[in-house]
Amino acid sequence: MFQRLFGRERQANRAITEALYTRIVAAARQEPFYSAWNVPDTPLGRFEMLSLHMFLFQHRLRGEPGAPADIAQRLIDEFFLDVDHSLRELGISDVGVPKRMKKLAKMFYGRTESYKNVLEGDDHPALAAALLRNVRPEVKEWPEAVALAEYVFAANRALAEQPSEDICAGKLSYPAPLAA
């Protein structure tokens, strides 16, 4: 009896995790980021956008106890499993994956701290500068960083309006980026 009960609970949790992660990935892969806003459509560019959307999700659930905290942890675990799987698909050897994972984790957590500080300070120019540094480090200027920063602020507001109960049920939506 306990096995059936807990087995169903694990399946329900897995379904919610998959639904939320699918929505986060879909938001990160929205076409205007790559076409209109010149985010590089490369593995690193996609990592940057996925990291940004994962940050927004984590930021939304930050500080909430109980189910939201559990879901936030499951999603970050899913994110890093996906990154690991992607590295392996790119042909990185079993020996090279841990070293790259460590570097990508450091990048992710460094970015989330930077984004958190400027988002909480409502500092639009600082967020655009951080996005330039992280998403397009090879260029000195990236005018589309301003549009991406505005999207981040809009997404943060949209996520804040979504009830935690809905998110915990697997319902999540990000705004669409407006084409430049």
Side-chain angles (χ1 to χ4, degrees):
M1 181 173 109
F2 286 115
Q3 189 70 318
R4 281 190 303 205
L5 177 64
F6 291 120
R8 285 187 197 137
E9 184 177 323
R10 276 196 302 263
Q11 288 175 340
N13 288 343
R14 185 73 199 144
I16 290 167
T17 300
E18 287 176 3
L20 291 170
Y21 193 70
T22 297
R23 285 177 175 82
I24 293 168
V25 170
R29 292 294 295 146
Q30 293 179 83
E31 185 267 334
F33 295 134
Y34 304 93
S35 62
W37 294 353
N38 296 316
V39 170
D41 195 6
T42 62
L44 194 53
R46 291 188 294 273
F47 171 79
E48 291 293 347
M49 294 310 296
L50 184 54
S51 294
L52 181 62
H53 286 82
M54 182 58 67
F55 156 73
L56 286 164
F57 177 81
Q58 295 290 319
H59 186 73
R60 165 61 184 85
L61 294 182
R62 184 188 86 244
E64 291 194 29
D70 293 342
I71 287 172
Q73 183 60 53
R74 283 200 311 268
L75 264 287
I76 204 71
D77 293 344
E78 186 71 21
F79 169 68
F80 283 111
L81 281 172
D82 187 34
V83 171
D84 180 280
H85 179 74
S86 295
L87 289 173
R88 293 174 193 282
E89 280 187 344
L90 288 170
I92 307 299
S93 70
D94 287 343
V95 174
V97 169
K99 183 171 85 171
R100 297 241 170 106
M101 284 298 297
K102 185 175 181 180
K103 180 179 179 182
L104 291 170
K106 187 176 180 179
M107 288 169 58
F108 173 76
Y109 287 112
R111 281 153 174 67
T112 60
E113 188 63 27
S114 171
Y115 297 156
K116 177 181 81 72
N117 291 336
V118 296
L119 196 61
E120 290 174 356
D122 198 33
D123 192 340
H124 295 238
L127 181 56
L131 291 166
L132 167 62
R133 241 184 354 266
N134 297 327
V135 178
R136 298 293 310 269
E138 76 285 358
V139 299
K140 289 187 188 271
E141 293 184 21
W142 180 39
E144 296 88 350
V146 173
L148 183 54
E150 292 307 314
Y151 167 82
V152 170
F153 279 100
N156 186 55
R157 287 189 302 274
L159 291 172
E161 293 172 0
Q162 296 175 42
S164 296
E165 298 79 30
D166 287 354
I167 294 171
C168 291
K171 299 173 189 168
L172 179 71
S173 63
Y174 288 85
L178 301 174

